[in-house]
Amino acid sequence: MFSFIDPIFVVITILLIAVVLFVTEKLRMDLVALLVLGALAVTGLVTPTQALSGFSSPAVVTVWAMFIISGGLSVTGVAQILGRQMMRLAGEGEARLVVVIMSIAGLMSAVMNNVGVAAMLLPVVINIARQTKRPSSKLLMPLAMGSLLGGLTTLIGTPPNILVSDALRDYGLQPFGLFDFTPIGLTIMVSGIAFVALVGRHLLPTRDPVQELAANGAGAMNGAGAPNGAGNHSLRGAYEIDERLSTLALTADSPLVGQSLAASRLGSALRLNVVAINRRGQTILAPRPETILEKGDRLIVEGKLEPLHEIQEGQFLIVDDNLAELTAQVLQAIGLAELQLSERTELVGQTLYQAEIRHRFGVNVVAIQRNGRLQQANLQDTRLQAGDRLLLQGKHEPLAALAAKKWGEWRALDDTAVVQTYGIARQFSGLRLPPESLLVGRTLRDSRLGDAFGLAVLAIIRDDDAHLMPEPDSALAAHDILLVWGTVVNLNTLRGLQKIEIVAQTPLSAKTMESEEVGLAEIVLSPQTTLEGKTLRQLHFREKYGLSVLAIWRQGQPHRSDLRDMALRFGDAILLYGRRDKIRLLNSEPDFLVLTEPAPATLRQQKAPLAVGILILILLPVLFGFLPISIAAVVGATLMVLLRCLTMEEAYRYIEWPAVFLIAGMLPLGIAMEQTGAASLIANGVITALGELGPRAIIFGIYLITAVATQIIPTAALVVLMAPIAFNTATDLNISPLPLMMTVAIAASASFSSPVSHPANVMIMGPGGYRFMDYVRVGLPLTLLVMLLTVLLVPIVWSF
């Protein structure tokens, strides 16, 4: 189609655009790969058959099948069995701990997906850190490095090994065998373990939470889940929980008395987590949202008190109920209606926050009736269902526009009908902004009157002019009067929060927050998670799991404010508080890893011998050359499901589909580089720069290019790009391609010096409290060691 343009220019352009997209992360990496596939086919650089050949590639088949086998070993508890052995062997010495952890992780990664190994052993190593009273930052990076080093030792240890072997087959050469990687890979693994145990562990951060908090307000995490133990004390220190604990008291005449904890809006309005209630000498830990507040209650809360200070002492809003004449004028311009949602409406399944009815139509949803029950609080986070009755309020024209959507049964209402149908009476109040109010200059959206207090602003009165149904971006000014509609409960909530008393702001003892039934725990997103990029509000986390999120640890820092709207990232460590039985239930949730050892009941440990037997069964015919690894892996994955080591649903979930589509989409780019001569062009450049220095210099150059590129390009995609370059370089130099292909595989898998260069590095970043430079400090010397060993050993084992 584009025959008038140099094919090399086109393929290089596609390659560069893909690299930019990978680096900027504007698009998902698997989507970038599919765009590359489509571009190659459309431009005619590859045939349609070649464009789709990646999906039938033996390498791709082997990768997804090994994911399933790895999943079978995971759910049968093989990691926990090895973890218990690890505890027996580890002892107390730090160097010995590092050696044992890295060795077991490496041996497991030789036959399992290394990200899966890191995920399975992460809770085990956290537990070891807690029991040995050592910072987890001293043990988690060795875990990730051990899993990466172990992947170098066998053909199935990591996708790059499989890809270079498959590339050799495509070039008509004998592919690498199961243990062809072992002589060099095992030497590198042993040397890497020795380096970390003798040198690297001294370069790892040592963060004592108490000392570091005193120095700069940050800490490291040392464990999770231990009732009243050192592990949770470190957790509380690392996340700076103690300094954010305060005690609030309800007076006898407080409007909050008789309301539920959820209706009090302490969370939505003040961003406070109520961790306990002191009532008549008794302490109620982790109270439920439906807990009714009583007079004399003292609430132990976690969070900053600034939002509470804002609404007290006249600095927020002053309630003014003497606006009868103005209220009558507004009533003429603003109407009420009811919408009963039909099953086929687009709103079903969305929350009000997602539906954006206020933003799209200028109409407020002031109540929801479902199955005879009325809900007036926390409406924004309510997921709508068919049959829900929405009580709507707005100007007549926007209400008519909403009615035209035909989302369900519609009827106009008056005040009498509202009382009869919903049992509530409209109450209008004026809220005056004093000049010193912190809301002056903010927008209505930023004031959070609707989200936080359930108050609908019907008009802004300024200089005797009434602005009806103001937009969320309307700015507030001193002396403004906000005419709001709210139930008596909502207005009383505002008054109650303004009258609540701050009793103490001093940190409380660990026993105040924890017991045998209630405590703190950390979780991270699992490699199979579907929740990355979603917020706690979207997940309805508190309602679904019955646990409070107190903080999120990200890139070496704890975040404790505005957590509901913070998008979760892979590598985040999330601090939870609640009942331990609820925490234990998270072990059965595939989206999370609880950083304590999972309860044995969640694993099928009786199937562990069978899972190991299947693994051995498929490796033997590969070892003796009876079956190619792709067929053996598919047979093994099938047996794992057939013999109920894991279910078919679990098998699909353990496949890392983005990696599968990434490889399948990028393989045609390797074909295009080969066919257009782009690979030869780059190879000639390598030869021109290093050829006169000999084959070892070529190995050094190939390793350096690959190692640097792993910091910005996904490893699987990089191997697809480097394989034809390495092969053409060997062909032009008239040497064997095996040493160069082995070098590409090793360099692509040795991703130690950046948290973003490999998912295993990202996963331990939050729980270990690591920062970017921690990876550079330890990973860069290890990368140089691996490069040195590769340059020395590859020509010896694989002659030119």
Side-chain angles (χ1 to χ4, degrees):
M1 182 179 295
F2 296 89
S3 57
F4 58 91
I5 303 178
D6 185 354
I8 293 180
F9 174 79
V10 177
V11 75
I12 294 296
T13 300
I14 293 174
L15 170 61
L16 292 177
I17 292 173
V19 170
V20 170
L21 291 175
F22 282 136
V23 172
T24 59
E25 297 182 348
K26 295 293 185 182
L27 298 175
R28 290 167 50 110
M29 63 179 185
D30 46 351
L31 181 57
V32 173
L34 293 178
L35 287 174
V36 168
L37 184 155
L40 293 172
V42 170
T43 55
L45 295 175
V46 296
T47 67
T49 300
Q50 290 172 328
L52 300 176
S53 62
F55 291 97
S56 60
S57 165
V60 173
V61 172
T62 303
V63 168
W64 66 251
M66 289 307 301
F67 280 139
I68 295 176
I69 293 171
S70 179
L73 295 171
S74 175
V75 299
T76 54
V78 172
Q80 280 64 42
I81 295 171
L82 291 175
R84 286 195 290 271
Q85 298 301 318
M86 186 190 302
M87 289 290 291
R88 295 190 184 100
L89 295 172
E92 294 293 331
E94 186 174 277
R96 185 175 176 181
L97 277 170
V98 169
V99 169
V100 171
I101 290 171
M102 294 186 71
S103 298
I104 290 181
L107 291 174
M108 292 176 64
S109 293
V111 294
M112 295 177 62
N113 172 255
N114 42 28
V115 180
V117 169
M120 287 187 291
L121 292 181
L122 180 58
V124 178
V125 174
I126 288 285
N127 199 38
I128 291 174
R130 178 174 59 82
Q131 293 190 18
T132 58
K133 295 181 173 61
R134 294 184 182 278
S136 57
S137 59
K138 285 290 188 180
L139 302 180
L140 290 183
M141 196 175 291
L143 167 65
M145 290 178 171
S147 69
L148 295 179
L149 289 168
L152 302 174
T153 59
T154 67
L155 172 64
I156 60 176
T158 185
N161 296 359
I162 298 171
L163 288 170
V164 295
S165 179
D166 193 60
L168 288 174
R169 181 187 59 77
D170 290 340
Y171 288 123
L173 301 175
Q174 180 69 29
F176 288 126
L178 182 62
F179 293 112
D180 283 349
F181 291 85
T182 305
I184 299 174
L186 189 59
T187 303
I188 290 175
M189 187 180 102
V190 172
S191 301
I193 292 173
F195 167 79
V196 176
L198 297 176
V199 179
R201 65 186 178 91
H202 298 294
L203 303 176
L204 289 167
T206 301
R207 298 191 177 109
D208 183 288
V210 177
Q211 293 180 1
E212 192 154 316
L213 278 175
N216 56 26
M221 292 166 287
N222 296 331
N228 305 324
N232 277 356
H233 174 72
S234 298
L235 270 181
R236 294 167 63 241
Y239 287 97
E240 304 173 12
I241 297 301
D242 280 353
E243 66 184 48
R244 292 166 57 88
L245 289 176
S246 305
T247 301
L248 308 179
L250 299 184
T251 59
D253 61 345
S254 172
L256 299 181
V257 171
Q259 292 191 33
S260 68
L261 197 57
S264 73
R265 298 184 179 271
L266 284 161
S268 61
L270 302 184
R271 302 182 179 94
L272 297 174
N273 288 298
V274 180
V275 299
I277 298 176
N278 285 332
R279 178 178 294 168
R280 295 186 291 274
Q282 301 294 321
T283 300
I284 304 172
L285 293 176
R288 301 177 187 276
E290 59 270 19
T291 301
I292 302 299
L293 298 176
E294 299 181 7
K295 63 180 180 180
D297 280 351
R298 294 201 170 197
L299 313 179
I300 301 173
V301 298
E302 183 274 334
K304 291 185 177 181
L305 295 181
E306 282 80 355
L308 178 59
H309 292 312
E310 287 183 7
I311 69 171
Q312 291 185 336
E313 301 176 2
Q315 295 179 2
F316 188 69
L317 292 165
I318 300 174
V319 178
D320 184 353
D321 292 325
N322 300 316
L323 298 170
E325 182 179 346
L326 183 59
T327 299
Q329 295 175 6
V330 172
L331 277 174
Q332 296 177 3
I334 293 179
L336 290 166
E338 177 189 81
L339 171 63
Q340 184 173 11
L341 299 179
S342 66
E343 292 183 357
R344 288 179 287 182
T345 176
E346 65 186 62
L347 299 183
V348 171
Q350 297 187 44
T351 64
L352 282 180
Y353 180 80
Q354 295 167 332
E356 296 185 316
I357 292 177
R358 177 68 178 88
H359 176 71
R360 294 164 62 186
F361 299 97
V363 172
N364 294 318
V365 178
V366 295
I368 299 176
Q369 191 177 75
R370 177 181 297 167
N371 299 326
R373 298 184 61 183
L374 186 68
Q375 180 180 347
Q376 298 170 257
N378 302 319
L379 296 181
Q380 289 294 309
D381 298 328
T382 300
R383 194 171 297 280
L384 300 175
Q385 299 179 7
D388 283 351
R389 295 176 182 270
L390 310 185
L391 178 59
L392 307 169
Q393 183 170 254
K395 290 192 288 188
H396 297 295
E397 185 175 339
L399 284 174
L402 184 57
K405 287 291 184 179
K406 298 182 179 180
W407 282 335
E409 184 178 341
W410 180 276
R411 65 167 177 152
L413 300 175
D414 55 23
D415 285 353
T416 303
V418 170
V419 173
Q420 292 174 346
T421 305
Y422 293 89
I424 57 176
R426 286 202 289 177
Q427 177 166 336
F428 292 88
S429 292
L431 301 177
R432 295 181 182 272
L433 269 73
E436 68 272 16
S437 173
L438 296 176
L439 294 183
V440 172
R442 296 186 185 180
T443 64
L444 269 181
R445 179 183 288 108
D446 293 337
S447 74
R448 301 176 63 246
L449 287 173
D451 184 26
F453 299 101
L455 299 173
V457 179
L458 305 183
I460 298 178
I461 313 302
R462 182 180 301 161
D463 299 329
D464 296 327
D465 289 330
H467 304 277
L468 298 181
M469 299 301 295
E471 294 295 325
D473 293 330
S474 300
L476 301 176
H479 305 296
D480 278 354
I481 299 176
L482 308 182
L483 184 64
V484 300
W485 182 92
T487 65
V488 174
V489 172
N490 291 341
L491 292 169
N492 282 342
T493 297
L494 176 58
R495 293 188 178 99
L497 293 177
Q498 289 180 322
K499 293 181 179 180
I500 203 166
E501 296 181 0
I502 302 173
V503 177
Q505 289 183 255
T506 55
L508 305 174
S509 67
K511 293 183 179 179
T512 304
M513 288 186 65
E514 298 185 85
S515 69
E516 293 296 327
E517 292 78 27
V518 175
L520 294 163
E522 281 178 301
I523 63 171
V524 294
L525 296 180
S526 74
Q528 296 80 37
T529 187
T530 59
L531 306 183
E532 186 174 14
K534 296 182 179 179
T535 65
L536 295 173
R537 180 201 293 268
Q538 292 171 328
L539 298 178
H540 295 272
F541 191 92
R542 179 71 177 88
E543 295 78 8
K544 183 176 181 180
Y545 300 107
L547 297 166
S548 297
V549 176
L550 300 186
I552 296 176
W553 187 280
R554 176 176 295 171
Q555 297 181 347
Q557 295 295 331
H559 299 264
R560 297 169 300 272
S561 301
D562 299 320
L563 299 181
R564 289 198 308 165
D565 296 317
M566 181 182 289
L568 298 179
R569 296 182 189 171
F570 190 64
D572 286 346
I574 303 168
L575 181 66
L576 303 178
Y577 179 69
R579 298 188 62 82
R580 296 189 189 279
D581 56 348
K582 298 286 188 182
I583 295 171
R584 284 190 290 270
L585 286 176
L586 286 181
N587 285 308
S588 60
E589 289 287 334
D591 287 303
F592 302 110
L593 290 174
V594 181
L595 299 188
T596 52
E597 284 209 68
T602 65
L603 302 172
R604 306 183 187 105
Q605 292 192 351
Q606 72 278 8
K607 296 283 187 178
L610 182 59
V612 174
I614 292 172
L615 178 64
I616 296 173
L617 182 65
I618 67 166
L619 293 183
L620 287 177
V622 175
L623 178 62
F624 292 107
F626 297 148
L627 284 176
I629 183 62
S630 55
I631 300 300
V634 171
V635 171
T638 304
L639 290 175
M640 284 285 187
V641 176
L642 189 63
L643 298 178
R644 299 183 179 178
C645 293
L646 76 171
T647 66
M648 199 68 204
E649 289 73 20
E650 290 170 333
Y652 283 127
R653 190 167 186 110
Y654 271 98
I655 297 174
E656 293 183 20
W657 292 109
V660 172
F661 278 89
L662 172 67
I663 297 171
M666 293 298 290
L667 279 173
L669 183 56
I671 296 173
M673 291 182 65
E674 182 70 33
Q675 292 182 165
T676 61
S680 296
L681 180 65
I682 299 174
N684 289 333
V686 174
I687 294 171
T688 302
L690 300 171
E692 295 182 358
L693 301 178
R696 286 186 187 272
I698 295 294
I699 289 180
F700 170 79
I702 292 291
Y703 189 104
L704 184 63
I705 293 171
T706 307
V708 171
T710 57
Q711 308 307 310
I712 58 175
I713 302 176
T715 55
L718 180 61
V719 171
V720 171
L721 301 178
M722 290 300 300
I725 296 173
F727 182 83
N728 280 274
T729 301
T731 301
D732 292 345
L733 288 174
N734 198 26
I735 62 175
S736 169
L738 299 182
L740 300 189
M741 299 294 267
M742 180 67 67
T743 300
V744 169
I746 294 172
S749 300
S751 308
F752 307 114
S753 56
S754 165
V756 298
S757 61
H758 198 278
N761 294 341
V762 179
M763 184 183 301
I764 54 100
M765 190 175 188
Y770 297 118
R771 300 180 177 92
F772 186 92
M773 287 307 298
D774 294 329
Y775 291 86
V776 177
R777 192 178 300 112
V778 184
L780 186 58
L782 181 57
T783 300
L784 294 176
L785 173 63
V786 174
M787 181 170 64
L788 175 63
L789 292 172
T790 302
V791 173
L792 291 176
L793 296 177
V794 166
I796 297 174
V797 179
W798 301 94
S799 62
F800 294 110

